[in-house]
Amino acid sequence: MLGLPAGLPGRLSALLAGRPAMFGREPIEHAQRRGLAPPQYTFSFGGKPHLPEVTCACVYAGHRGHGNATTKQEAKRRASMAVIERLAGAG
């Protein structure tokens, strides 16, 4: 692929996607690769029927992240990304 070093396209796409490449898409991938306990997710729901508010808390490896969105899936993704960012910052 244009003579780029091996693995660069994957790392580049991960950076462009806004996530550290070393942790994968979610903390669950990080846990599976290392044989660790999976992350724990809790959800709370609010808002009105036509405009729901979902909050997700993700706890993994001593780190906590929160995400808010209008869908459970998006709130979970945001909470996971918050944990990944903390893991990346912890080195």
Side-chain angles (χ1 to χ4, degrees):
M1 181 174 191
L2 300 175
L4 296 174
L8 181 61
R11 288 193 304 255
L12 182 59
S13 65
L15 290 173
L16 292 174
R19 62 177 166 77
M22 67 189 116
F23 294 106
R25 290 180 14 156
E26 293 189 22
I28 189 74
E29 294 174 5
H30 186 262
Q32 288 172 340
R33 283 195 301 271
R34 287 162 179 75
L36 301 173
Q40 299 296 312
Y41 296 96
T42 56
F43 296 90
S44 61
F45 302 89
K48 299 181 180 187
H50 68 281
L51 188 61
E53 296 174 12
V54 182
T55 299
C56 177
C58 175
V59 179
Y60 173 67
H63 298 275
R64 179 179 293 271
H66 296 276
N68 299 308
T70 58
T71 66
K72 187 175 175 182
Q73 181 179 5
E74 181 61 17
K76 182 179 178 182
R77 187 190 70 76
R78 290 179 182 186
S80 295
M81 290 305 301
V83 169
I84 289 171
E85 289 170 6
R86 286 179 176 80
L87 285 168

